[in-house]
Amino acid sequence: MSKITFLGAGSTVFAKNVLGDCMTVPTLQDFEFALYDIDHERLKDSEVMLKNMKKKLKSTGNIVAYTDRKEALRGAKYVINAIQVGGYDPSTIIDFEIPKKYGLRQTIADTVGIGGLFRSLRTIPVMMDFAKDMQEVCPDAWFLNYTNPMAALTGAMLRYTGIKTVGLCHSVQVCTDHLLKDLDMPTDNVQWKIAGINHMAWLLEVTRNGQDLYPEIKKRAKERQNTIHDDMVRYELMQRFGYYITESSEHNAEYHPYFIKKRYPELIDRFNIPIDKYLRRCVNQIEAWKAMREELVHNKELAHSRTGEYGSYIMEAMETNVPIKIGGNVMNTGGLISNLPEKACVEVPCLVDSSGVTPTHVGELPEQLAALNRTNINTQLLTIEAAMTSKKEHIYQAAMLDPHTSAELSIDDIVALCDDLIEAHGDWLPEYK
Amino acid sequence: MSKITFLGAGSTVFAKNVLGDCMTVPTLQDFEFALYDIDHERLKDSEVMLKNMKKKLKSTGNIVAYTDRKEALRGAKYVINAIQVGGYDPSTIIDFEIPKKYGLRQTIADTVGIGGLFRSLRTIPVMMDFAKDMQEVCPDAWFLNYTNPMAALTGAMLRYTGIKTVGLCHSVQVCTDHLLKDLDMPTDNVQWKIAGINHMAWLLEVTRNGQDLYPEIKKRAKERQNTIHDDMVRYELMQRFGYYITESSEHNAEYHPYFIKKRYPELIDRFNIPIDKYLRRCVNQIEAWKAMREELVHNKELAHSRTGEYGSYIMEAMETNVPIKIGGNVMNTGGLISNLPEKACVEVPCLVDSSGVTPTHVGELPEQLAALNRTNINTQLLTIEAAMTSKKEHIYQAAMLDPHTSAELSIDDIVALCDDLIEAHGDWLPEYK
Amino acid sequence: MSKITFLGAGSTVFAKNVLGDCMTVPTLQDFEFALYDIDHERLKDSEVMLKNMKKKLKSTGNIVAYTDRKEALRGAKYVINAIQVGGYDPSTIIDFEIPKKYGLRQTIADTVGIGGLFRSLRTIPVMMDFAKDMQEVCPDAWFLNYTNPMAALTGAMLRYTGIKTVGLCHSVQVCTDHLLKDLDMPTDNVQWKIAGINHMAWLLEVTRNGQDLYPEIKKRAKERQNTIHDDMVRYELMQRFGYYITESSEHNAEYHPYFIKKRYPELIDRFNIPIDKYLRRCVNQIEAWKAMREELVHNKELAHSRTGEYGSYIMEAMETNVPIKIGGNVMNTGGLISNLPEKACVEVPCLVDSSGVTPTHVGELPEQLAALNRTNINTQLLTIEAAMTSKKEHIYQAAMLDPHTSAELSIDDIVALCDDLIEAHGDWLPEYK
Amino acid sequence: MSKITFLGAGSTVFAKNVLGDCMTVPTLQDFEFALYDIDHERLKDSEVMLKNMKKKLKSTGNIVAYTDRKEALRGAKYVINAIQVGGYDPSTIIDFEIPKKYGLRQTIADTVGIGGLFRSLRTIPVMMDFAKDMQEVCPDAWFLNYTNPMAALTGAMLRYTGIKTVGLCHSVQVCTDHLLKDLDMPTDNVQWKIAGINHMAWLLEVTRNGQDLYPEIKKRAKERQNTIHDDMVRYELMQRFGYYITESSEHNAEYHPYFIKKRYPELIDRFNIPIDKYLRRCVNQIEAWKAMREELVHNKELAHSRTGEYGSYIMEAMETNVPIKIGGNVMNTGGLISNLPEKACVEVPCLVDSSGVTPTHVGELPEQLAALNRTNINTQLLTIEAAMTSKKEHIYQAAMLDPHTSAELSIDDIVALCDDLIEAHGDWLPEYK
């Protein structure tokens, strides 16, 4: 019996989506779904829920919860990674509140920026441990990474472990439809091409029946900017740099030095920027979970229709050899995107079939897009450097190279802030020298 | 109405296959099928045959024969190229008979070697003319090249015209099945990976349910070499270099210096090498055509089931945006195969969908395979150099770099042979200086 | 008679240095020194001065002033470029004063930043005209570019003209000595290696008798930061990023987002940053020139000893074939510095001899140094994009990607500032759309 | 006291040249010259000779002979490698005589070809041992490799040890002068550029006072081919491929499939090819040594003037930091020659100074030259593969890819020949599986 191992299976809703998807796929029927989480209560919840759903869906997969990680991984063919290290409390709170003392405001803090940096620093060591286990008990498994910060984590896995890894984010597949719907434009027969880095990949082409849609998109987007809406940062970036981005305004607000500026407090309203958004979202999710838990966990009639998440589609393609195309995060080896560094982890179209995940060659990005990507890659590469060398200086450098952090703070404040964050993290971080 | 233009439509059987395939594809129903050939009689035959077949298949495509090439191309969305310049008589005869006077024997002569070289030299100028027309009347069309010598022709198109081109050969898709059937091994659930250059691409991986099939393949192949069969050269190459090749023994016999050797006349029998095979095949085909013509051309009940040729699948994938994977011939830009020259035309897995043909990144070939490829790429690159500069010295160099030619002949004989071939070709070649 | 053409010969002091150097070199004795400047009065001054100096130095070169540029260039073997487009008044004043209205302060404004950007935009078109002339009258000449902004100008020449060009700056050759002297360390037997981009190249290695000097350098530098001195920014960058930089603190203060920050006004004093330094320097130079002119121009006893400027050494090496090593600015083709973009203009060790200027392969920079370089390369590449496409959007993008500009200003202010600068420049810029 | 270690110091004449050169260099006066050889008698001879010469030259270096290799290497700053493994008898005899039984004739057998292959196979393991010792006792030393086969040996050192290595051959520095003198052309003021692989590097440019000398060279060379002379192969290659090669006709005769051909026995006379030349040379050298020994070893008046060998110049440049340019053998990392494989060991202009040996970027070779290089690189890379994996199959592949071997022999004969050679080598080779 083949095995799909889900690390972080206590994320009940996400486990429902990805494993529920799997239950709907004929070729994945005979798999064991191995659940693992360090939170045994949540693990139990997920197990119960999935077993209910399995019955409802008449799936024949075998659901097993493990409290021993290595046993969960043993013999796995696929490993889904959806963990969070440190949780909302204390880690996410730390990521937001300490920078705030220095006047550094954030929105999501899960990609780059000071929050993304520390999220990477506490997660990479855990993933290195996963890799060590996998080398021992399932060296040929595919590791499907859903955990953020995507580029730093996936890059570290690909550069420092031999584990076959791809990084996955739903921001690619929903990008074009989202944009067109927002602008009341038709979405059928639309062809698009997206490449860049995770959360800052570019809609390079968007055509309908062979016609370039960008002129109309930009015209409508410009009009839309006259009213307040939720995607103002992205539209502004598109107007200025010429291309639409995969990740939302609430994310992109903190990837650039342009939007959250002490010197221009009015920009927060002007671009409708939700400072501390992720903090509020976490609190809401925790509340929502309480409300939802009963209904989800013990609902014997729990239904599920296949979502758009890549996970089950990838495993299906690998099993059936019917190819699919995904936007995957992979090393830029050989210069898939020729004007980004080879050590960058890039998000490019990948072909998936029984031969695995094979990235395609993209070529050169328009210079301004490559330039914006490079400003974020700078931090990502230094973050990996810090995590793998355990040198504080690289933490400081990662932070100093972050466009938003360096725009807002002085070097002294950046260093003091990093020191505060290292201390506040306590045992959530390995020792730095 | 969109348009598929077929250049060399007088190849009635091939036109039947590719355009017949198209007639069975729902998304290609409303296309015009534009037929063009310089042989108006054969063009007429194909037109009649296709119109019969269309009725039988209840296809709604529009079949139009053109005697003006530019009109045939005007507005095309796809162009199929399946031409032969110079034909059996005089060109193929020249390609075989003149080398034979120098003691240089060939089998197929359509890839590299002295025959492949001159076949390229007379075909590239014609394709440059196609490209010029296309730039004028259908600059955005995809050019699906089926014409050999694949690497030299496709390489010349990709390097010297702006036309979107992919080179196609059925040798990739049939490779693994053919091998396994020959060895009485099961073909279901088989995963494979092929990359290299056209006619010398390598079966890099072949597994069944995750298990490497090569040990069993090599064992059976070795046994099979004890009796005379049709694939002895390929099996020998696999035993010596470790991997199976996409093209047949009758081709590979002349790509290497190992098999057709004046000094070892016994090898011809030992490896069952069909000298002059292509000459005989042409004569047979001409005869067969006479016999088949009536039945094919005027057969109102002419049926067709979709073949495995890539053509219709590619157009379907581009129209429907449902991805497929093909083995396509593309430039090695960015080092898709990192140990082959970037100017080589390589055959690698490509993803096809509405964004076009996107090559995937392969990485490094095992050193001995890259080495064998390089010996043939040498001739291919010099062939293109000759065709694009019109310098005789590059013709000589291309021939001197061909492994089989240089193994058999002295420099003086190679030069004299090239001069004889240039003269014999007369107006079929542009002027060389 | 061979010919060295000096464009911008009205820069009397610099012409004295480079051409005076040439007069001391035996192998350059029989050259014509062709002087050209659009300022005919200054041109005359330089001519008179050089003729005096020639007599004094008993040089046999022939000094000729030209008012027709093409005639000055005709038949040249070497062309020295030391021009300034727009001069102190109006252009330099504009470069500083208009940004200041937006609160954007600068120190030198000749490399990147808003000032460097516009300096490039008004200079690149002039250099494209030089190249056009040179293609006509001296296509094989070596173009030794001393004009700033070095990376953008040299990059534009190398990418868009066929002229053999190298960019030269004395910051490389004086770097190590300067550092060691400042720290009271011995300078004999010191080996060093420098690579990066102009004005931000890195002292990658500095050893004495095989011993790494960096630990001692950093120790002394740290102590020195306790008192106010002129190189505080550079020392701070070394402490934070681990390596010393080729250009001075007054330059580097504006290449990064760390030092000139509205939000941290105290940093100006803390790091002793000379805001508007270049403006004051220009005024002083103009005053100094008035005082110096008589003494320099009509001084029949004007002596000269060879300076350290690369110019005469390069021409001597090319003439004598005795090799020298320089830090030259060249295209990063083939990834000389493998983690910087191939289109970047990089400053790397180059070998100069009769075969010309040949760059050496550097390999990978430490990640944090490559990252800092990339933040400046971003602006440089977009600057070239703007100059060569005449699109305003690329001007805005170049400015938005500048680390200092984007840290200080909002997008709206950046765009308004660019528009103001375009207008203020008037005919000094070509038309942008 | 710094130390130069000479491995293979029993090569008395070569030791005289390189270490004698060193004795004439002021900056190398205070070095210890550490001599090592497994032949203690020859080692003693060299010691005596060098001590005599030292007195005569009034050098102050310290000459010490070692019989313990690790002690000889301990603390070395430079290591000269000039060894021969297996000697004339038995190894060289084996390399020639066994192939001859198969009808495979050779001339020098020290580069590629069947002889070069086995010479590499017995030498690489010894050099890996050197590297192991050096890692322990002089990890920072520069390893100057003079031992052939240059590309395979230097490539193996550079890829599989961390030792700073450059491969040196005098064929580069004498190439142009040799050619011009042979053709009675002046040699002053000549500029040239050479790049390729060792023994097959190309004279890419040769000018005098800016004028291309190739037309005149080719005219004279063509005339000269009317009479029998010693460089006929090289001239023929130049006429056919357009460029002159660094290594002599006696070498190049066996690098290509064009000259030593069973089927064309007349070519031996026509191109004046000295079959078995190296065998005769060895015998002559052994005889000559007997005659010369007394005079050389015990000659208290032994004088020496500095030769053109790179060795002493490289060490001088590293010590004084006065740069020189050499043709050095280095890895093609980053594509120094962009159309050769990155794993090839290439011979390119290198800058040498106190920063070490820094290769320069060459770019693309003319296609026909790259093609010829690739035919030899194929064998070199497979040779290294064989030596590092201990797999017989790679020995066979290396031989099958050799242009001369594969032109002359069948696969069966090649394999049988390799097996014979492996057996004949006995303990001179490690075990192959």
Side-chain angles (χ1 to χ4, degrees), chain B residues 145-428:
Chain B
N145 181 46
Y146 275 104
T147 302
N148 277 325
M150 184 55 68
L153 268 47
T154 305
M157 283 296 285
L158 286 164
R159 284 169 62 187
Y160 294 100
T161 77
I163 298 299
K164 290 181 289 188
T165 302
V166 66
L168 302 173
C169 175
H170 55 243
S171 62
V172 174
Q173 66 261 51
V174 302
C175 171
T176 311
D177 255 40
H178 178 83
L179 170 64
L180 296 176
K181 280 178 185 158
D182 260 22
L183 297 174
D184 292 321
M185 293 174 67
T187 59
D188 60 312
N189 286 324
V190 169
Q191 172 270 339
W192 48 265
K193 183 175 165 190
I194 289 176
I197 58 172
N198 178 248
H199 288 192
M200 202 197 288
W202 309 98
L203 181 59
L204 297 169
E205 292 175 12
V206 54
T207 66
R208 187 156 174 271
N209 302 322
Q211 198 189 350
D212 182 7
L213 294 182
Y214 257 130
E216 180 67 18
I217 287 170
K218 288 182 191 170
K219 204 185 108 217
R220 293 186 183 217
K222 202 168 182 180
E223 281 160 21
R224 213 166 161 230
Q225 291 292 72
N226 295 327
T227 55
I228 292 297
H229 62 101
D230 280 349
D231 222 4
M232 299 192 78
V233 162
R234 245 199 305 194
Y235 281 26
E236 172 75 3
L237 289 168
M238 176 167 61
Q239 301 291 355
R240 296 304 178 187
F241 292 94
Y243 295 83
Y244 193 62
I245 308 178
T246 45
E247 196 44 270
S248 62
S249 287
E250 66 192 29
H251 276 88
N252 266 280
E254 64 186 6
Y255 301 164
H256 307 278
Y258 310 129
F259 300 103
I260 306 174
K261 294 182 91 66
K262 179 87 165 182
R263 191 169 170 181
Y264 294 88
E266 70 276 17
L267 297 177
I268 301 302
D269 286 344
R270 171 146 181 235
F271 289 108
N272 192 19
I273 295 166
I275 300 295
D276 288 341
K277 174 69 178 269
Y278 190 67
L279 277 184
R280 291 193 298 279
R281 183 180 299 162
C282 288
V283 170
N284 290 343
Q285 281 177 340
I286 291 164
E287 285 309 304
W289 174 243
K290 286 182 197 155
M292 189 180 12
R293 184 178 179 280
E294 202 46 34
E295 166 194 8
L296 203 66
V297 172
H298 298 296
N299 177 357
K300 303 226 164 175
E301 294 302 312
L302 188 64
H304 181 79
S305 4
R306 198 170 182 183
T307 72
E309 289 291 352
Y310 280 146
S312 73
Y313 294 93
I314 289 174
M315 293 183 275
E316 184 180 19
M318 289 186 177
E319 292 294 319
T320 61
N321 205 19
V322 176
I324 61 165
K325 176 167 91 167
I326 63 163
N329 290 274
V330 298
M331 286 305 292
N332 194 30
T333 303
L336 301 172
I337 298 183
S338 59
N339 49 355
L340 295 185
E342 293 216 20
K343 281 189 178 162
C345 178
V346 292
E347 196 166 69
V348 296
C350 295
L351 186 155
V352 188
D353 64 5
S354 64
S355 295
V357 176
T358 310
T360 65
H361 182 78
V362 171
E364 200 171 77
L365 293 184
E367 210 50 80
Q368 69 273 23
L369 308 187
L372 287 172
N373 282 166
R374 285 190 290 250
T375 66
N376 278 238
I377 289 169
N378 286 344
T379 298
Q380 290 160 356
L381 294 181
L382 267 306
T383 298
I384 295 174
E385 208 72 12
M388 302 309 295
T389 64
S390 300
K391 288 190 184 169
K392 267 187 199 172
E393 65 194 78
H394 292 311
I395 299 183
Y396 305 147
Q397 291 162 0
M400 287 188 287
L401 282 156
D402 179 62
H404 173 43
T405 305
S406 63
E408 289 290 89
L409 301 189
S410 69
I411 292 181
D412 283 348
D413 275 0
I414 292 173
V415 170
L417 165 57
C418 288
D419 285 340
D420 284 1
L421 283 163
I422 293 168
E423 196 182 333
H425 271 80
D427 289 345
W428 288 106

Side-chain angles (χ1 to χ4, degrees), chain C residues 147-397:
Chain C
T147 301
N148 277 325
M150 182 57 66
L153 269 46
T154 304
M157 282 295 285
L158 286 165
R159 283 170 61 188
Y160 294 100
T161 78
I163 299 298
K164 290 180 290 188
T165 302
V166 65
L168 302 172
C169 175
H170 55 244
S171 63
V172 174
Q173 68 260 52
V174 302
C175 171
T176 312
D177 255 41
H178 178 83
L179 170 64
L180 295 176
K181 280 179 184 155
D182 261 22
L183 297 173
D184 292 322
M185 292 173 68
T187 59
D188 59 312
N189 286 324
V190 169
Q191 172 271 338
W192 47 266
K193 183 175 165 188
I194 289 176
I197 58 172
N198 180 248
H199 288 192
M200 201 198 288
W202 308 98
L203 182 59
L204 296 170
E205 292 175 12
V206 54
T207 67
R208 187 158 174 269
N209 302 321
Q211 200 190 349
D212 182 8
L213 294 181
Y214 257 130
E216 180 68 18
I217 287 170
K218 288 181 189 170
K219 205 186 107 216
R220 293 186 182 216
K222 200 165 184 183
E223 281 161 20
R224 220 177 151 221
Q225 292 291 72
N226 295 327
T227 55
I228 291 296
H229 62 101
D230 281 349
D231 221 4
M232 300 191 78
V233 162
R234 243 198 308 193
Y235 281 26
E236 173 74 3
L237 289 168
M238 175 167 62
Q239 302 290 354
R240 295 305 179 188
F241 292 94
Y243 295 84
Y244 193 62
I245 308 179
T246 45
E247 196 42 274
S248 62
S249 287
E250 65 192 31
H251 276 89
N252 266 280
E254 64 187 6
Y255 301 163
H256 307 276
Y258 310 129
F259 301 102
I260 306 173
K261 295 182 91 64
K262 180 87 165 183
R263 192 169 170 182
Y264 293 88
E266 69 275 20
L267 296 176
I268 302 301
D269 286 344
R270 164 133 190 246
F271 290 107
N272 192 21
I273 295 167
I275 300 293
D276 289 340
K277 176 67 178 270
Y278 190 68
L279 277 183
R280 292 192 299 278
R281 182 180 297 162
C282 289
V283 171
N284 290 343
Q285 280 177 342
I286 292 163
E287 285 309 303
W289 173 244
K290 286 181 196 156
M292 191 180 10
R293 182 178 180 280
E294 202 47 34
E295 169 194 4
L296 202 65
V297 173
H298 298 294
N299 177 358
K300 306 227 163 174
E301 293 302 312
L302 188 63
H304 181 77
S305 4
R306 198 170 182 182
T307 70
E309 289 291 351
Y310 279 144
S312 74
Y313 294 94
I314 288 174
M315 292 184 276
E316 185 180 18
M318 289 186 177
E319 293 293 320
T320 62
N321 204 19
V322 176
I324 61 167
K325 176 166 91 167
I326 64 164
N329 290 273
V330 297
M331 287 304 291
N332 195 30
T333 304
L336 300 172
I337 298 181
S338 58
N339 49 355
L340 295 184
E342 292 216 22
K343 282 190 177 161
C345 179
V346 292
E347 197 166 68
V348 296
C350 296
L351 186 156
V352 188
D353 63 6
S354 63
S355 295
V357 175
T358 310
T360 65
H361 183 79
V362 171
E364 200 172 77
L365 292 183
E367 210 51 81
Q368 70 272 23
L369 308 186
L372 287 172
N373 281 167
R374 286 190 289 250
T375 66
N376 278 238
I377 288 168
N378 285 346
T379 299
Q380 290 160 356
L381 294 182
L382 267 307
T383 299
I384 294 174
E385 208 73 12
M388 301 309 296
T389 63
S390 299
K391 288 190 184 169
K392 266 187 200 173
E393 65 195 75
H394 291 312
I395 300 183
Y396 305 147
Q397 290 161 0

